[in-house]
Amino acid sequence: MNVKEYIESGIIESYVMGLASEPERAEFERLCAQYPELLEARRRFEERLEGYASENAVPPPPGVKMKVLEAINLQNNKEPARSPVALRIIAAAAVVLLIGMAYLYFQTRQENKDLTDTNDRLKNSLDTTRSILKKIVDEQKDVVGNPNVTVVNMVGTQVAPRSSANVYWDSASSNVYLVVKNMPKLPSDQQYQLWALIGNKPKDLGVFDATDDNVILKMKNTQTAQAFAITIEQKGGSPSPTLQKMQSLGKTLQSQ
């Protein structure tokens, strides 16, 4: 017989915790008398079980001790008394089983809560995204379809020949919208800044970051403008444009 494989089969745990069948118990007891290492393994498991129960013991509520003693006395009248070691083992097994059940219960409840929270976050994120997309589409329809809106095509400069954007400017309401077509992303300490050129004097229309194509950005209003320009400035914008970093420029009908 391979004693090591027999021990690793879990028979010791089943026997000590009362889960083994009568034939398994009989065989185990017979083999314990035959193999001292099997008996030693059983003793070590019982000691570990008792130690675990002692370390995780929780003081019972008031009155429980009396009820337990009454139940024991009642049980003693019905069946032979168990040995102190057997009672300690049964108590230890009960504690281990209770801790295991509590752990599985709270773990399952936490996993279900995490799944519910994740689903709620995904649903809220999806609703927010849909709302933003609808707003963008509605704004594009209103801006592009407005007969009072002038489209200013902004082309790249020698510094940035590939940069391009469109300004949708409603001179009646002074509203200015910007559609970025090709603007590389900048370092985190820099931003693009839109300017209206009025009589060769720049007017700040706000800063923005590089965005996906066809996203309309609402900028600051201006009643007049002979041209629009985009420069690269420090994050937060500048009171005057850095002409050496002009990216795009587009003239309006007022300049003609």
Side-chain angles (χ1 to χ4, degrees):
M1 172 185 171
N2 191 323
V3 178
K4 182 180 179 181
E5 290 184 358
Y6 186 65
I7 293 175
E8 292 176 350
S9 69
I11 184 61
I12 294 177
E13 293 82 355
S14 297
Y15 177 85
V16 173
M17 299 181 71
L19 302 177
S21 63
E22 284 302 323
E24 289 174 335
R25 294 179 62 84
E27 180 187 33
F28 180 78
E29 292 171 356
R30 178 179 60 80
L31 293 174
C32 279
Q34 185 177 353
Y35 296 97
E37 60 266 43
L38 186 59
L39 186 62
E40 177 63 18
R42 168 187 167 185
R43 183 189 63 79
R44 288 198 304 268
F45 177 73
E46 290 174 347
E47 290 178 351
R48 289 199 305 270
L49 200 60
E50 289 187 51
Y52 184 84
S54 298
E55 291 175 0
N56 294 274
V58 178
V64 171
K65 180 178 180 181
M66 185 62 66
K67 292 181 180 180
V68 171
L69 292 175
E70 291 175 357
I72 292 175
N73 291 333
L74 180 63
Q75 188 67 20
N76 285 340
N77 296 330
K78 295 182 179 180
E79 60 180 39
R82 296 178 180 267
S83 67
V85 173
L87 289 175
R88 287 200 301 270
I89 292 174
I90 292 173
V95 170
V96 172
L97 181 61
L98 180 61
I99 292 174
M101 291 176 64
Y103 171 76
L104 290 176
Y105 170 75
F106 285 110
Q107 184 184 47
T108 302
R109 190 174 70 171
Q110 184 62 41
E111 289 176 352
N112 290 337
K113 182 178 182 299
D114 291 343
L115 288 174
T116 301
D117 292 344
T118 300
N119 288 336
D120 291 341
R121 287 196 299 270
L122 289 175
K123 183 178 181 300
N124 292 335
S125 177
L126 181 59
D127 291 342
T128 301
T129 302
R130 286 174 175 170
S131 176
I132 293 173
L133 289 176
K134 183 178 183 302
K135 181 180 179 181
I136 291 173
V137 171
D138 291 343
E139 285 182 350
Q140 287 182 331
K141 288 180 179 179
D142 292 341
V143 172
V144 176
N146 190 337
N148 296 323
V149 170
T150 299
V151 181
V152 180
N153 184 31
M154 304 185 67
V155 298
T157 63
Q158 291 182 350
V159 177
R162 295 185 178 181
S163 295
S164 61
N166 281 344
V167 169
Y168 291 81
W169 175 43
D170 186 349
S171 57
S173 64
S174 302
N175 288 330
V176 176
Y177 297 89
L178 177 67
V179 175
V180 177
K181 296 199 294 185
N182 186 17
M183 290 281 177
K185 291 194 175 182
L186 299 175
S188 59
D189 61 341
Q190 296 180 346
Q191 283 184 300
Y192 291 106
Q193 189 165 356
L194 179 65
W195 306 88
L197 303 181
I198 306 171
N200 295 324
K201 291 184 179 180
K203 177 183 178 181
D204 169 39
L205 296 185
V207 296
F208 64 94
D209 298 307
T211 61
D212 295 332
D213 293 349
N214 298 325
V215 175
I216 289 187
L217 304 175
K218 178 67 175 70
M219 308 303 290
K220 296 178 182 178
N221 293 0
T222 183
Q223 185 66 48
T224 60
Q226 284 78 50
F228 293 95
I230 295 175
T231 62
I232 295 178
E233 307 295 343
Q234 291 299 309
K235 188 175 182 65
S238 172
S240 59
T242 304
L243 298 179
Q244 297 85 349
K245 295 184 178 180
M246 185 180 296
Q247 304 293 297
S248 296
L249 179 67
K251 296 182 179 181
T252 69
L253 296 177
Q254 291 184 358
S255 63
Q256 300 175 1

